[in-house]
Every structure is written in structure tokens, then in C-alpha cells.
Amino acid sequence: MKKTCLLLAGIALLSSVALPLYAQGGCTESPENPTAILAVVGSAGAFFVSARARIKARRSQSK
């Protein structure tokens, strides 16, 4: 039950992001700044890798 709710929430989130982006006519009509989007995605990736490394380090210290 919990996985189903989580899956539906994920699909709703992806749809709410993808549908407005699909309506664009091309690069000249694009409302977003691609450099800012890449910066956000890159920062999120770096945070994820850093957090995962910290969690692994903490787990290895407790053993």
C-alpha cells in the first residue's frame, strides 16, 4: 500500500513538471534558463554523492 502511494506521488510530480515543459515550441520560446537548471541538477547530484559518502563513513565507524 505504501509503495503504491509513493509511486502515484512520484508519477504526479513528474507529470506536473513534464507537462508544462512539453508545451514549449523550441529553444527561442523556452522560459527557463538552461544554465540555472544545469546548476541546480549538478548541485543536487553533488549533495547526493556527499551525503551518501558521509552515511557510509558513519556506518563504518559504528561497526
Side-chain angles (χ1 to χ4, degrees), residues 7-9 11 13 17 23 26-27 31 33-34 51 54 57-60 62:
L7 179 65
L8 289 174
I11 290 172
L13 178 66
V17 170
C27 290
N33 183 354
R54 288 180 189 173
R58 191 173 293 168
R59 284 183 183 169
S60 67
S62 66

Side-chain angles (χ1 to χ4, degrees), residues 17-49:
V17 170
L19 288 175
L21 294 178
Y22 182 73
Q24 296 172 1
C27 290
T28 57
E29 299 172 10
S30 180
E32 75 272 355
N33 183 354
T35 306
I37 291 174
L38 287 174
V40 170
V41 171
S43 297
F47 174 76
F48 177 74
V49 169

